[in-house]
């Protein structure tokens, strides 16, 4: 199993750093363009949720991403030590946001859930939030044609 950990300041400009790091980490699996696009979206939504909702845009705090690969599956954790989520079930509902002042759509967690193979949220108020995501990067073209 291969693993990586990335820690960066809670600044929205670091979303691209997070996306690029994880995409580079999984590159040897030769993911499809669709898988890359889905993974970039998952990371963007998770990181922006940590920064905007968890840390309320405080750039002094850190977001942590842990990733591991087991065979062709990416195990991803996006972690913050922010305000936590009071009601996880409510937060998972489309259009729910704790920051209507920023004109947020409230779709981040729903999008992550729809693009992931497995998705779990662990959160404690005033302690932080951990998003646990599994995403298969099996390349069906490889399985069908056997030329990968």
């Amino acid at each position: 199993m291969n693993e990586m950990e990335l820690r960066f300041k809670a600044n929205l400009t670091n979303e691209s750093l997070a996306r690029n790091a994880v995409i580079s980490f999984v590159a040897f699996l030769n993911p499809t363009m669709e898988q890359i696009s889905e993974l970039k979206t998952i990371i963007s939504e998770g990181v922006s949720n940590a920064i905007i909702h968890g840390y309320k845009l405080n750039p002094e705090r850190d977001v942590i991403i842990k990733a591991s690969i087991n065979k062709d599956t990416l195990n991803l954790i996006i972690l913050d030590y922010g305000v936590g989520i009071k009601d996880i079930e409510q937060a998972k509902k489309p259009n729910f946001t704790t920051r209507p002042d920023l004109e947020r759509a409230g779709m981040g967690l729903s999008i992550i859930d729809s693009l992931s193979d497995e998705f779990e949220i662990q959160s404690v108020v005033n302690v932080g939030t951990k998003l646990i995501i599994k995403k298969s990067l099996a390349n069906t073209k490889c399985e069908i044609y056997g030329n990968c």
Side-chain angles (χ1 to χ4, degrees):
M1 181 182 331
N2 195 13
E3 299 176 327
M4 68 158 254
E5 184 171 324
L6 177 66
R7 178 185 297 264
F8 53 91
K9 292 297 179 190
N11 187 319
L12 288 172
T13 60
N14 287 330
E15 271 185 56
S16 62
L17 167 68
R19 285 192 310 263
N20 290 334
V22 176
I23 295 304
S24 295
F25 180 67
V26 302
F28 77 95
L29 290 172
N30 196 28
T32 65
M33 292 305 293
E34 181 179 0
Q35 290 167 331
I36 291 170
S37 177
E38 290 174 351
L39 195 50
K40 285 181 175 181
T41 301
I42 288 168
I43 295 162
S44 290
E45 295 295 338
V47 167
S48 65
N49 273 353
I51 294 169
I52 293 167
H53 302 287
Y55 290 138
K56 301 198 181 291
L57 298 167
N58 180 351
E60 299 303 314
R61 306 297 300 272
D62 290 338
V63 177
I64 300 163
I65 294 181
K66 297 179 181 184
S68 65
I69 297 172
N70 188 3
K71 296 183 183 175
D72 60 4
T73 300
L74 173 66
N75 301 296
L76 188 64
I77 293 174
I78 301 174
L79 179 64
D80 70 68
Y81 295 101
V83 301
I85 300 172
K86 291 179 185 174
D87 185 339
I88 292 173
E89 290 308 311
Q90 183 181 27
K92 288 168 49 177
K93 290 181 182 175
N95 301 316
F96 175 79
T97 183
T98 61
R99 297 298 308 258
D101 56 312
L102 297 178
E103 298 181 16
R104 306 304 295 179
M107 297 297 292
L109 297 177
S110 310
I111 290 169
I112 294 171
D113 189 33
S114 70
L115 296 177
S116 302
D117 295 313
E118 293 180 32
F119 179 48
E120 178 184 349
I121 302 168
Q122 296 176 354
S123 190
V124 177
V125 174
N126 297 321
V127 175
T129 301
K130 179 191 290 189
L131 305 181
I132 303 167
I133 301 151
K134 287 191 179 192
K135 178 78 174 160
S136 173
L137 298 176
N139 189 334
T140 55
K141 292 178 187 173
C142 292
E143 293 169 6
I144 294 170
Y145 301 111
N147 60 353
C148 297

